[in-house]
Amino acid sequence: MDKDNMKISMAVIRRLPKYHRYLRDLLEKDIKRISSKELSNIMGLTASQIRQDLNNFGGFGQQGYGYNVEALYEEIEKILGLDKQYNTIIVGAGNLGQAIANYTNFEKAGFLPKCMFDINPKLIGLKIRDIQIMDADHMEEYIRRNDIAIGIICTPKEQAQSVADRLVKCNIQGIWNFAPVDLNVPDHIILENVHLSESLFTLSYLLNHRDEL
Amino acid sequence: MDKDNMKISMAVIRRLPKYHRYLRDLLEKDIKRISSKELSNIMGLTASQIRQDLNNFGGFGQQGYGYNVEALYEEIEKILGLDKQYNTIIVGAGNLGQAIANYTNFEKAGFLPKCMFDINPKLIGLKIRDIQIMDADHMEEYIRRNDIAIGIICTPKEQAQSVADRLVKCNIQGIWNFAPVDLNVPDHIILENVHLSESLFTLSYLLNHRDEL
């Protein structure tokens, strides 16, 4: 995929989940409508940025009224694909894999953890909530039989590329990668990385350069 | 650093840990020097981008020679503050907190997890590796006595802001926040967020808009 030619920039796309989160908080507080000015105050964006962002998807605001919170929330749910469900597997059942398996918010959002895989005999056969840890040798067969859309890689970096290669061969659609390595995958596979070390090291940089910020 | 070098964009800062990671991989492969062209190939950046990025910090390359991998790695270590050590605490000893406590790579990089805190009586008193889980009531006293630089928030979102407020009062320097909420902290506190849901929802968006990418 050539990200430079995308119609909507990655910066806008990465802000959408943030809109989703803030709108959900407003809904929980039973707030029915909000102006782009008010939304900009709570989100730390400018009102014009918000209007521009949402105009990418057709607007939604009404002059003099602002945004209908519930309607906008539901639209963004649909845009993000959160109105659907996705079968996922977690590869690597160590602490991080288990933390993700236990994180029920992802399941509530439609990302269903169907199975975990590991090569460690001490883990194979165990369950995290009701999610079985299976022998990684059975991964391909499981993916083919269970309509798995997303593979979540929580292995050490040394195993991550070979796991990704195996997921790609099984026609997985997307990979959510937590291993600290940049994976090579074909263009049609959606790859999203969470590089925790990079986040921590950015914090470290900022701590050490506070005087210059 | 002189005044001309004071303002470095967050985009450049966020690429520094990536340079660090790639250079470490090169060192592990015993590669002594690399041209900006070769580095650009493996990192997926342009050679000119790499030269520009590194020029923010004084250059390091030599015409016709390229970069000395070890020297550049060590410089970037220093720039990121990874030549120092930081005492950290983890607040919230659930699965994610435990995963982070168990992630020895952070410790190897100088981020020492000294203690964990929770309000759950079933967790208080347990140890993760040699890291004790203490009653959150004792957090302030512990921070003051143990020169804690960074607080890692792994609580549910409902508790995250009050934990952050308490950390700020104890003069913590930085907060690494995993709770799905944007925290309000004073300007002098360095705040770095890992919003896992936002990453997953971005993946979901991209999966659903592959035809438009």
Side-chain angles (χ1 to χ4, degrees):
Chain A
M1 154 188 22
D2 185 353
K3 288 195 171 142
D4 293 338
N5 291 333
M6 283 172 50
K7 287 173 192 162
I8 295 169
S9 78
M10 276 308 293
V12 175
I13 292 167
R14 289 200 177 278
R15 277 196 292 274
L16 285 177
K18 195 169 165 164
Y19 285 105
H20 183 263
R21 176 157 54 85
Y22 274 91
L23 289 164
R24 192 194 49 213
D25 288 348
L26 290 171
L27 272 183
E28 282 171 8
K29 290 177 191 151
D30 214 27
I31 292 168
K32 308 276 190 212
R33 71 179 194 182
I34 191 162
S35 67
S36 51
K37 180 97 182 73
E38 289 166 314
L39 192 56
S40 77
N41 284 340
I42 58 170
M43 287 188 64
L45 299 168
T46 68
S48 120
Q49 175 83 79
I50 287 176
R51 283 189 299 267
Q52 269 179 46
D53 281 354
L54 298 180
N55 276 339
N56 279 299
F57 305 97
F60 313 121
Q62 262 180 281
Q63 195 76 38
Y65 177 87
Y67 297 105
N68 176 317
V69 173
E70 189 169 5
L72 182 55
Y73 176 78
E74 283 174 4
E75 277 303 320
I76 291 179
E77 280 249 312
K78 271 185 220 159
I79 293 167
L80 287 170
L82 299 180
D83 54 337
K84 304 180 193 166
Q85 291 197 319
Y86 306 87
N87 290 335
T88 77
I89 56 165
I90 298 168
V91 190
N95 289 289
L96 184 62
Q98 292 189 24
I100 289 168
N102 269 307
Y103 206 59
T104 52
N105 281 345
F106 297 150
E107 190 162 327
K108 282 179 203 149
F111 302 89
L112 312 178
K114 304 301 283 188
C115 193
M116 304 175 76
F117 293 93
D118 209 288
I119 53 172
N120 182 346
K122 286 182 187 158
L123 292 173
I124 294 165
L126 297 182
K127 280 188 174 186
I128 306 298
R129 295 193 295 139
D130 59 343
I131 309 158
Q132 182 110 37
I133 304 176
M134 286 178 66
D135 187 325
D137 284 348
H138 301 306
M139 186 173 79
E140 280 83 350
E141 191 191 344
Y142 188 92
I143 293 174
R144 293 206 173 94
R145 289 198 179 173
N146 291 279
D147 187 28
I148 302 299
I150 298 170
I152 305 173
I153 298 182
C154 297
T155 66
K157 72 171 178 171
E158 291 75 15
Q159 280 83 54
Q161 182 64 55
S162 76
V163 167
D165 293 343
R166 290 169 62 190
L167 295 175
V168 167
K169 275 192 196 146
C170 299
N171 294 318
I172 208 109
Q173 296 174 52
I175 292 176
W176 198 23
N177 173 45
F178 285 79
V181 62
D182 287 327
L183 301 173
N184 292 312
V185 297
D187 283 350
H188 67 279
I189 305 289
I190 304 297
L191 172 64
E192 170 72 13
N193 294 298
V194 178
H195 287 323
L196 294 181
S197 294
E198 295 189 9
S199 173
L200 181 59
F201 294 176
T202 299
L203 172 61
S204 172
Y205 174 92
L206 295 170
L207 273 187
N208 281 279
H209 297 79
R210 275 189 289 187
D211 301 341
E212 302 148 30
L213 297 176
Chain B
M1 210 177 272
D2 65 37
K3 278 189 173 175
D4 293 337
N5 287 336
M6 275 170 64
K7 288 283 176 188
I8 294 168
S9 77
M10 276 310 292
V12 175
I13 292 167
R14 290 201 177 277
R15 277 196 293 275
L16 284 177
K18 195 168 166 167
Y19 285 105
H20 183 264
R21 176 156 55 86
Y22 274 91
L23 289 163
R24 193 193 49 213
D25 288 348
L26 291 171
L27 271 183
E28 282 171 6
K29 289 176 191 152
D30 214 27
I31 292 168
K32 309 277 188 210
R33 71 179 197 183
I34 191 162
S35 67
S36 52
K37 179 98 182 69
E38 290 166 315
L39 191 56
S40 76
N41 284 340
I42 57 171
M43 287 188 64
L45 299 168
T46 68
S48 120
Q49 175 83 79
I50 289 176
R51 283 189 300 267
Q52 269 179 44
D53 282 354
L54 298 180
N55 276 340
N56 279 299
F57 304 96
F60 313 120
Q62 262 180 279
Q63 195 76 41
Y65 177 87
Y67 297 105
N68 176 315
V69 173
E70 188 169 5
L72 182 55
Y73 176 78
E74 282 173 5
E75 277 303 319
I76 291 178
E77 281 248 313
K78 272 185 221 161
I79 293 167
L80 287 170
L82 300 179
D83 54 337
K84 302 180 194 164
Q85 291 197 319
Y86 306 86
N87 290 336
T88 76
I89 57 165
I90 298 169
V91 190
N95 289 290
L96 184 62
Q98 293 190 23
I100 289 169
N102 268 307
Y103 206 60
T104 51
N105 281 345
F106 298 150
E107 190 162 328
K108 283 179 202 148
F111 302 89
L112 312 178
K114 304 300 282 186
C115 193
M116 304 176 76
F117 292 93
D118 209 288
I119 54 172
N120 182 346
K122 287 182 186 158
L123 292 173
I124 294 166
L126 297 183
K127 280 188 173 187
I128 307 297
R129 295 193 296 139
D130 59 343
I131 309 157
Q132 183 111 36
I133 303 176
M134 286 178 66
D135 187 325
D137 284 347
H138 300 307
M139 188 172 77
E140 280 83 351
E141 190 191 345
Y142 188 91
I143 293 175
R144 293 206 174 96
R145 289 198 179 173
N146 291 279
D147 188 27
I148 303 299
I150 299 170
I152 305 173
I153 299 183
C154 297
T155 65
K157 72 170 180 173
E158 291 75 15
Q159 280 83 54
Q161 182 64 54
S162 77
V163 167
D165 293 343
R166 290 168 62 190
L167 294 175
V168 167
K169 275 192 196 146
C170 300
N171 294 318
I172 208 109
Q173 297 174 52
I175 292 176
W176 199 22
N177 173 45
F178 285 80
V181 62
D182 287 326
L183 300 173
N184 291 312
V185 297
D187 284 348
H188 67 279
I189 305 289
I190 304 298
L191 171 65
E192 170 73 13
N193 294 299
V194 178
H195 287 324
L196 294 180
S197 294
E198 295 188 11
S199 173
L200 182 59
F201 295 175
T202 299
L203 173 61
S204 173
Y205 174 92
L206 295 170
L207 273 185
N208 281 279
H209 297 79
R210 275 189 290 187
D211 301 342
E212 303 152 27
L213 299 176

